[in-house]
Amino acid sequence: MSDCIADTSTGGPQAGTGEQSRTRCAAGIVTTYWISYRTIADRDAAQARYAAQAANAPQLTPGATPPTTRSTSSHDAYYIEYAYKVPSGPQAGHSIAAIWWSDANKPIAGVFLAYWTEGLGSTWTPLRDLWSRAI
């Protein structure tokens, strides 16, 4: 991962509702976000939003799996594959595939996202591989 920039830096990402901090990095074709939430309840609210987006993921990005809990080497993680279409701008209408996960016991989360066709070649494999190496 490289080119990381925090929400406290000029040109950095904006922290969202309930977020204490947000850092954006690049990992090749994948954009990553590392998020610290103010509370577990704030993290759970974000989890609910991403889980709602997961309902449409199989139609936009075939092969998406339902939200689940996965065991990692250090903790249990909430794991959500979701997708959405870019709403406006030069990439409007293009699909984005993403993985959101969080530590089940801490108010922290990560997001990996990339363009479905242009970046991922219409397969979940690169995102899933990156997730399995990152956690």
Side-chain angles (χ1 to χ4, degrees), residues 55-66:
N56 294 327
Q59 292 79 23
L60 296 173
T61 55
T65 62

Side-chain angles (χ1 to χ4, degrees), residues 48-131:
R49 288 190 306 271
Y50 290 112
Q53 283 185 289
N56 294 327
Q59 292 79 23
L60 296 173
T61 55
T65 62
T68 189
T69 300
R70 294 190 177 185
S71 293
T72 71
S73 60
S74 62
H75 63 277
D76 283 343
Y78 299 123
Y79 176 94
I80 300 170
E81 293 180 355
Y82 70 97
Y84 62 92
K85 287 197 178 279
V86 177
S88 60
Q91 300 295 330
H94 290 250
S95 293
I96 301 288
I99 295 174
W100 180 93
W101 78 96
S102 70
D103 184 307
N105 300 308
K106 297 177 184 173
I108 57 174
V111 179
F112 291 160
L113 54 91
Y115 287 101
W116 177 245
T117 303
E118 303 84 351
L120 297 173
S122 301
T123 178
W124 281 95
T125 302
L127 283 182
R128 291 174 181 155
D129 287 347
L130 182 60
W131 183 83

